Amino acid sequence: MTVTRFAPSPNGHLHLGHAWSAIVAHDLAKQRRGRFVLRIEDIDGARSRPELADEFRADLAWLGLGWREVAPQSTRLASYAAAAERLKMLGLLYPCTCTRAEIAAKATTKGPDGPLYPGTCRGRQRSEDGAAWRLDMGKATALAGPLEWVDERVGRQRATPELFGDVVLMRKDAPASYHLAATLDDAADGVTRVTRGMDLFAASHVHRLLQALLNLPIPVWYHHALLVDGAGRKFAKSRGSAGLAERRLAGEDGVALADSLRAGRFPAGIRLSQSLHAAP
Ligand SMILES: [Zn+2]
């Protein structure tokens, strides 16, 4: 059975870009008589606003979508810690206390998420308070060997997680990084089609590696085109039209809005971008 998901973080209102993402995932599951799952990604402690989860549910219902909700990330911290322990036992994680500024000052190349970590703390064994834990990418890729993954729209990919360097898996300020939490949760939720925007395409290289290291099932990915503005920038509420809740509370017809998006009728100044990376 096809299982897709929509996994918003409750740190801001949903906007049209989110609506598009949810509709794509919902319709993909519906066409295949599968299941569309909602997962609230609420482990970003400082920025998380739990009350927004209710707003998200109201927004999705307003768009005419039906879903099955799974446990929010904040209830899954033990699974993140257990996976990190396993990777530590394999000798693949090391603690890092570098600040963003220190990394930016020493980095000589850029990765998909910004300055590439220069490996300052690699090889450290003992953790200090406030350390993040990074994956030793060289060791991890050597252990996993060559890997492939499939995007349903783009085709077969050779996994190149080394693009990201030594990624953070356990953050200083949150129980897990996006890479670790999303990978574990998708496996736990039985997601067979990881549906999300093209802006996260490269992250799937890292996720495929984590699946290999942690013996998780391998899904197929479906990275959808992004809503962008006239300048090709990824759609964000700050630059575009009203958020979903605002439209809903103003009495707009959400089902009609969803159908317009499906038909490719986007609001003025907004279009779909097929490129792998929207401009920042
Ligand atoms: Zn470091």
Side-chain angles (χ1 to χ4, degrees), residues 160-173:
T160 53
E162 57 276 11
L163 288 176
F164 284 79
D166 292 358
V167 284
V168 169
L169 294 189
M170 301 299 272
R171 286 168 49 180
K172 290 176 193 174
D173 55 346

Side-chain angles (χ1 to χ4, degrees), residues 94-99 102-103 117-122 124 132 134 172:
Y94 63 85
C96 166
T97 47
C98 300
T99 63
E102 285 167 347
I103 294 167
Y117 181 66
T120 318
C121 302
R122 192 181 299 135
R124 269 173 64 174
R134 290 184 178 274
K172 290 176 193 174

Side-chain angles (χ1 to χ4, degrees), residues 11 39 90 94 120 152 191 211 213 215-216 220 252 259:
N11 52 27
R39 182 174 70 229
L90 292 169
Y94 63 85
T120 318
E152 199 172 313
V191 173
Q211 286 153 1
L213 297 173
N215 292 318
L216 302 173
V220 171
E252 191 177 329
D259 284 340

Side-chain angles (χ1 to χ4, degrees), residues 16-270:
L16 276 184
H18 296 112
W20 174 245
S21 198
I23 290 165
V24 167
H26 169 272
D27 290 4
L28 196 69
K30 194 177 172 194
Q31 284 154 15
R32 297 169 193 186
R33 298 178 185 281
R35 183 190 305 155
F36 170 58
V37 159
L38 170 67
R39 182 174 70 229
I40 304 294
E41 302 208 329
D42 57 349
I43 52 169
D44 196 343
R47 298 200 305 155
S48 219
R49 293 162 54 196
E51 72 279 8
L52 283 176
D54 280 333
E55 183 181 291
F56 294 176
R57 295 178 193 106
D59 290 342
L60 295 179
W62 172 70
L63 290 167
L65 309 182
W67 67 90
R68 185 178 300 185
E69 185 163 352
V70 293
Q73 284 192 328
S74 55
T75 64
R76 305 185 189 211
L77 306 189
S79 81
Y80 308 149
E85 261 329 295
R86 205 163 148 184
L87 295 171
K88 284 179 195 172
M89 296 287 282
L90 292 169
L92 298 178
L93 297 192
Y94 63 85
C96 166
T97 47
C98 300
T99 63
R100 269 175 200 274
E102 285 167 347
I103 294 167
K106 283 193 186 169
T108 52
T109 35
K110 264 184 89 173
D113 286 343
L116 205 65
Y117 181 66
T120 318
C121 302
R122 192 181 299 135
R124 269 173 64 174
Q125 301 290 326
R126 281 205 306 180
S127 170
E128 293 164 32
D129 283 350
W133 288 84
R134 290 184 178 274
L135 182 69
D136 186 325
M137 187 58 78
K139 275 192 194 171
T141 50
L143 182 66
L147 298 169
E148 290 189 335
W149 56 277
V150 175
D151 179 281
E152 199 172 313
R153 294 174 68 241
V154 182
R156 187 170 291 277
Q157 307 292 314
R158 187 174 62 85
T160 53
E162 57 276 11
L163 288 176
F164 284 79
D166 292 358
V167 284
V168 169
L169 294 189
M170 301 299 272
R171 286 168 49 180
K172 290 176 193 174
D173 55 346
S177 73
Y178 168 73
H179 295 306
L180 183 64
T183 302
L184 289 170
D185 294 348
D186 283 337
D189 297 337
V191 173
T192 64
R193 288 291 180 285
V194 176
T195 40
R196 61 186 177 208
M198 278 300 237
D199 52 332
L200 288 166
F201 191 89
S204 299
H205 292 303
V206 175
H207 300 187
R208 179 64 187 85
L209 173 63
L210 292 176
Q211 286 153 1
L213 297 173
L214 293 165
N215 292 318
L216 302 173
I218 315 303
V220 171
W221 281 262
Y222 188 101
H223 294 93
H224 61 74
L226 292 175
L227 289 191
V228 294
D229 66 15
R233 293 177 304 195
K234 184 181 164 185
F235 186 85
K237 186 185 171 248
S238 55
R239 304 193 201 102
S241 56
L244 300 186
E246 201 176 319
R247 288 166 174 266
R248 171 167 56 80
L249 295 170
E252 191 177 329
D253 183 338
V255 173
L257 172 66
D259 284 340
S260 313
L261 296 177
R262 288 183 176 106
R265 291 192 303 273
F266 302 108
I270 294 170

